[in-house]
Each structure stands twice: as structure tokens, then as C-alpha cells.
Amino acid sequence: MKAILKPFLPFFLTVLFFNCAAAQTPVTPEKINFVRQGVRRFIFDETQQLPLAALYPREIIGLSAMYPVRHALPTPAQVSVLSQQLSIQSTSETQTSIWFGGFNPFATYMIDLARCQGQGEVGFEFTDASQSEQFVVKFVFKDEQLLDVRQKTVKNAQVVAETSIATKNSKNTQIKGKIILQMLGSGLTLFLQNDGLPLPIGQFDFGQILDLRHKKYLHSFQSRLYVGLQRGEVLINKVESVLSSGMGLADIRAITYEDGSPLLDKGRLWYTMTIRGRALPHHVQGVFSLDPTTFDLRLEGVIVFDRNDGLLRNEVASHLFYDRKEKSWRGLTTGFSAYAKPEEKKQLLAIESQRDPRFGFSVMKATPFGLVGDIEDPHVVFDSTARKWRMLTCENQNGYKAIMLESEAWNKGYRRIAGPVQHNSTGTSIQKIGNERYCFSGSQERQVFIYSYPTLQKIGTLKMDLPPWDATSGTRVWPNVVELPEGYPFRYVALMMDRFNFPGLEGPNWTYGALYLYHGHENE
């Protein structure tokens, strides 16, 4: 028997060698095929909101205590609950404010309007208890016809601004359906939704008049339904304030541990995403979770940032990680809030929190660390082999280009070690595929580029079935590639966005986009 096998032994060893070599061939990202699984765009989706306060007429027993009414003129309007609707009516001139909740300058406020008859105004009033400071946003109507959209700002008991904020969409529009006020710290957009998409009918940047990002407004302002009548009736189904996913999501980044491995908690991947609101600086940092085997994306929270200057800032394009050694939530963010104050400069900020900031409304400490200028999309990992913190980001050098920086500390002292790359870059990120780290970047070139870590040598491009763009749209997406542990029906997942802007907004419009889910499979 040994004599028979002996001539074939070299052949068997050769086959065994090649089989083992094939089994051990490392997977590289350019060999992975990403196949689109689903797409969603959340447009003030009621399933994607976190409640802050509400006025539901069907729940009211004791209106005077639950929702105190204040009349600004000698003649009061008649306020009552009729058939599970709130009625405000009058035959002469009245001004009525009905409390319904606290105030958050990054919340979305909604009025579900059943009917408005006669002539008057309806909207929101945000004010302190003494009314010495006040911010009012309101519709002016006559027999359900929209006449104007206006704001009034009061400081030190004096009116400092009262102007029309109507857009061209407001012309020849009827007031019916849902009124949606998206507050964004230093600006707002007002929508009217009946059938179809919400219609933007009012826009205003108020940061230079009354910067509602100051902490004192979060602590002292309250929210009221405002109704001013010459005559007639306003009938309300409900009033709500929520943390909302808005009308577009972008800048998708997986939340990780300090080494860059994805935070897979309770069977869900966790992401930071920018909740979009017209243009910079009118965006907000959202936190979402996802079961990677399904498409059950869920808004979990909103994060704002405190630089110890009295403001709560809506920075975005953040990378959040949990440092297991220090037992602290840390990360980097991009200081886009500088666009609200002309004297400030855009820069990267180090962020930190002992409390888990993924849930509800959270505030993280933010500290400048010297990277000032047109630089954004940072992603940082601790490389235990090099014993260094390494940051992949992109800097505007005749277009945004990826660069690699290195430091002894996570929050200071970074110096460049590679880059800039040749290609336009956006959504720069570092991710392990197998045992090796790689760098990923979107671009203007209808490609997602793959680079070596940490040297940023071009390796190739990502293979995608049905990428999140077409011939009419921008292509600077965030790749957001994540490798899953063993046991999943696929090893790789990528959640990306498109760059289609929400229609009808005036001026700069960066409100993209819809979300695209991809599963990745190795070549078979």
C-alpha cells in the first residue's frame, strides 16, 4: 500500500498546499461585491421621531392646568375642546397663546390643522415667562388662503425685528394639513404639508438677531401655540414638538471602539448621521441604529456640542467612539457651526462625554486642538501596533483631498504622515477587512476609492451594484463600509446616501439625501 501511494505523495502535497493557500488568501476590499438591498428617504417620518412635548385634545381633562391659556388683548378668545379637537374662536380681535411644552432650538414643531376660518394668524410662540424675550413664527391667513409668513423677535421687551420670511412657494397657497417648523439653532425652515411632499414656505436665519443656541433659552423658554384672530375659528387636531430625522440624512459614519472596530450593541450597528436642514450651518448631529440583517433604521438621539462659551452648537460629520480603556465616549467633529458667526473659523474639534450620548438629547464637550481651516470628515483609530492615534480626514487643497495624520494623543498634536491623495475625497474612513486596515473615500468621479493604510496608496475602487447616484446627481457619498463578525449571512455592510436635494428651498440647498443599504459578498 505504501508503495502504491508513494508516487502520488508529491501530487497530494501540492494539491493540499494550493488548497491551504487559497483558503488563506486575504480578502481585499476591491474584490468584494456590494449589492443594493433597499433605499429609504425619511421626510419628517412619524416613525422616526423622539417625542418632547404634545397637545392632544383627546387627552385633555382640565385644560386650564394642563395647557394654560394666555390672552394678550382685553377681549379673550373662546378656547375649548370640541369632538377631540382644540377650538380657538372669536368674533372680534384677539391674541391667544396656549402653552404646550418646553423649548429646544433643534427640535421640530408641528401643528396638525383641521381648519382655519375667517381672518387671522396661527403659528408658534417661544418666550420666557415674563415675555421680555420672544420669538414668534406665524402664518397670516384669510379664509384658508395664505397671505404671508412672518416672524417677530422681541428683546428686552422691545420688538427688534418683524419681517416677512415667506418664500415664493407661499403664493396662492391654501392653509390646510400640517404645519412643520424645523428649528436648526440659528435658522429655521417652515413647511406646509397637505397632499404630497412638505412645501417649504418660509425661511429665516436669525442667529445675528437672537441666537437661540444660548443655553439660557433651552433653560428658560417655553413653547406655545399662537393664534391671533380678527374674527373666525382655528381648529387643531394636535400640536407636537419632537426630535426629528428631518427631510434628508447624510454624512453616515459607524460608531466604533477606539481601535476602529464597529460598535455592535444589542445586535445593532450604531451610526452618526447629519440631519439636514437647508444649508450650513443648519444641520444637526443625529444618532441612528440598524439591525444589519434588515433595514429597520431607527433614530435614537441627537447630539449637540458645548465649547464652554454659553452656546450649544450643532456640529456635524462626527466620528464617535467608545474608549474601552478610559471608559469614555470620545471622538472628533467638524465645526460647521462657525458658519453662523462670521468671526469664527471652521475647525476640527475633540469631543468627549462620560454619559452615553447615543440616546435622547445629549451634550458633548467639544475642544479645539489646532486643526483650523477647511478640513472635515475626520475618522480616528488607535493603532496598537504603531502605538499611535491615526486620523484620516480631508482638506481643501484645490478640492477636498484625503490626508493621514498621526499623534501620541487622541485629541492633540496631530502631524501629517501621508497624502493628499490625487482624487477628490469625501466621507473619509478607516476600516478593517480581514486583518488589514484600509482607507475609503467617496469622490466626484463616480467611484468610491480604496487606499492603503496608513500610506494612502491607491488600491482600487469599490464594486457596487446600483450605486447611490445616477447621471443627474452628485456622487460625493460616504462609503461607510463595515465588516461584520462571523455568524451573519454576509460579512460586509455599507450604508450610504445620495445627494438629491429636497425641492423648493431657496438659496444654498444641501439637504440630501436618501439612505441606501448594501450587503457585500466575496467573489465566488
Side-chain angles (χ1 to χ4, degrees):
M1 187 67 177
K2 291 181 180 179
I4 295 172
L5 289 177
K6 189 172 183 180
F8 294 96
L9 190 58
F11 171 76
F12 286 134
L13 291 176
T14 301
V15 171
L16 182 62
F17 171 79
F18 280 111
N19 284 341
C20 291
Q24 295 174 3
T25 299
V27 177
T28 54
E30 78 278 11
K31 298 177 182 177
I32 302 170
N33 293 316
F34 283 89
V35 179
R36 190 198 289 187
Q37 304 297 310
V39 61
R40 293 288 311 276
R41 182 156 185 159
F42 299 105
I43 301 173
F44 299 111
D45 191 319
E46 291 189 358
T47 67
Q48 295 293 329
Q49 62 187 36
L50 303 174
L52 296 175
L55 188 162
Y56 299 135
R58 67 180 182 273
E59 297 178 350
I60 296 177
I61 299 176
L63 173 65
S64 59
M66 291 180 70
Y67 301 102
V69 179
R70 185 169 62 202
H71 302 283
L73 298 179
T75 302
Q78 182 181 343
V79 181
S80 59
V81 176
L82 302 174
S83 301
Q84 299 190 356
Q85 293 175 321
L86 184 69
S87 169
I88 305 97
Q89 58 181 309
S90 179
T91 57
S92 58
E93 185 177 5
T94 59
Q95 288 185 8
T96 307
S97 299
I98 304 172
W99 179 94
F100 68 88
F103 173 71
N104 188 308
F106 307 102
T108 296
Y109 299 84
M110 293 178 284
I111 300 172
D112 189 341
L113 187 64
R115 185 175 69 240
C116 58
Q117 293 179 326
Q119 185 173 351
E121 304 168 336
V122 59
F124 299 96
E125 175 186 284
F126 307 111
T127 180
D128 59 10
S130 67
Q131 290 189 285
S132 62
E133 291 191 287
Q134 189 180 52
F135 188 69
V136 179
V137 181
K138 58 188 178 182
F139 291 89
V140 181
F141 69 89
K142 183 177 182 180
D143 296 327
E144 295 194 346
Q145 186 69 32
L146 178 61
L147 302 180
D148 200 1
V149 183
R150 300 188 65 82
Q151 68 81 27
K152 182 176 77 171
T153 305
V154 176
K155 295 177 69 174
N156 301 318
Q158 299 292 321
V159 176
V160 296
E162 188 168 10
T163 58
S164 173
I165 60 172
T167 68
K168 60 184 179 183
N169 293 323
S170 65
K171 295 180 179 179
N172 302 316
T173 299
Q174 285 191 315
I175 299 182
K176 58 173 64 176
K178 188 181 292 184
I179 299 168
I180 303 171
L181 172 61
Q182 188 183 24
M183 294 290 286
L184 297 151
S186 59
L188 64 84
T189 307
L190 194 66
F191 299 84
L192 185 61
Q193 183 176 22
N194 185 15
D195 296 322
L197 291 175
L199 182 68
I201 58 167
Q203 297 177 192
F204 187 47
D205 295 345
F206 50 81
Q208 300 301 307
I209 302 170
L210 186 70
D211 196 336
L212 294 176
R213 298 175 302 164
H214 277 284
K215 296 178 188 178
K216 67 177 182 178
Y217 297 116
L218 179 71
H219 299 156
S220 65
F221 263 31
Q222 296 180 332
S223 301
R224 292 177 168 87
L225 169 68
Y226 170 81
V227 177
L229 289 173
Q230 300 296 319
R231 55 171 177 77
E233 180 186 27
V234 171
L235 205 57
I236 303 291
N237 291 321
K238 63 181 179 180
V239 182
E240 295 177 305
S241 62
V242 301
L243 298 177
S244 167
S245 62
M247 87 303 266
L249 296 169
D251 311 333
I252 308 162
R253 171 89 73 205
I255 298 174
T256 69
Y257 293 107
E258 75 288 339
D259 64 354
S261 57
L263 186 113
L264 191 58
D265 182 23
K266 301 176 183 177
R268 304 181 71 79
L269 289 171
W270 297 77
Y271 298 92
T272 51
M273 297 187 205
T274 301
I275 297 169
R276 290 277 164 158
R278 185 157 43 94
L280 293 170
H282 310 308
H283 304 325
V284 181
Q285 185 62 77
V287 179
F288 293 76
S289 70
L290 172 74
D291 179 340
T293 66
T294 66
F295 200 0
D296 66 339
L297 198 76
R298 189 164 69 206
L299 174 64
E300 302 281 2
V302 164
I303 304 174
V304 295
F305 302 92
D306 184 357
R307 288 174 57 177
N308 200 32
D309 61 357
L311 295 179
L312 296 176
R313 294 171 175 268
N314 44 324
E315 319 294 12
V316 293
S318 309
H319 174 213
L320 181 64
F321 67 87
Y322 183 68
D323 191 323
R324 290 169 289 191
K325 181 179 178 181
E326 300 300 327
K327 294 181 171 56
S328 180
W329 293 90
R330 293 173 166 175
L332 303 175
T333 192
T334 309
F336 285 116
S337 70
Y339 286 87
K341 301 186 76 173
E343 68 274 17
E344 292 187 354
K345 294 182 179 180
K346 177 182 172 184
Q347 61 185 301
L348 298 187
L349 304 161
I351 58 177
E352 189 166 16
S353 172
Q354 294 302 309
R355 173 185 174 271
D356 189 338
R358 291 177 294 164
F359 304 99
F361 184 71
S362 299
V363 179
M364 296 188 74
K365 294 180 180 178
T367 307
F369 61 100
L371 286 181
V372 180
D374 199 359
I375 182 169
E376 56 189 48
D377 304 356
H379 190 252
V380 63
V381 301
F382 179 70
D383 188 323
S384 58
T385 302
R387 305 298 301 171
K388 304 283 187 183
W389 290 90
R390 286 182 172 154
M391 182 204 311
L392 181 64
T393 187
C394 52
E395 186 175 21
N396 194 345
Q397 303 182 38
N398 297 316
Y400 290 99
K401 308 288 179 61
I403 57 174
M404 182 72 70
L405 299 94
E406 183 179 82
S407 177
E408 308 291 332
W410 72 275
N411 60 348
K412 60 182 179 180
Y414 281 93
R415 57 192 177 277
R416 185 180 305 181
I417 60 170
V421 299
Q422 178 184 354
H423 299 284
N424 172 269
S425 308
T426 190
T428 40
S429 63
I430 304 168
Q431 180 56 239
K432 263 191 175 181
I433 303 296
N435 295 320
E436 298 292 330
R437 287 189 175 97
Y438 296 88
C439 300
F440 298 87
S441 170
S443 74
Q444 291 178 333
E445 301 173 58
R446 301 187 177 274
Q447 298 286 350
V448 170
F449 287 100
I450 306 164
Y451 299 98
S452 62
Y453 167 89
T455 57
L456 294 182
Q457 299 300 304
K458 182 180 173 182
I459 293 174
T461 58
L462 208 64
K463 293 180 181 177
M464 281 186 290
D465 160 64
L466 299 174
W469 57 72
D470 69 6
T472 68
S473 67
T475 62
R476 298 181 65 241
V477 304
W478 286 48
N480 197 46
V481 175
V482 171
E483 182 179 79
L484 296 171
E486 292 283 356
Y488 281 84
F490 43 86
R491 288 303 305 276
Y492 312 98
V493 61
L495 186 62
M496 306 186 197
M497 85 282 184
D498 67 28
R499 293 179 71 97
F500 283 94
N501 288 319
F502 192 87
L505 292 159
E506 296 180 359
N509 184 354
W510 303 320
T511 51
Y512 37 84
L515 302 180
Y516 295 70
L517 179 66
Y518 295 83
H519 292 165
H521 307 269
E522 301 165 15
N523 288 333
E524 297 178 358

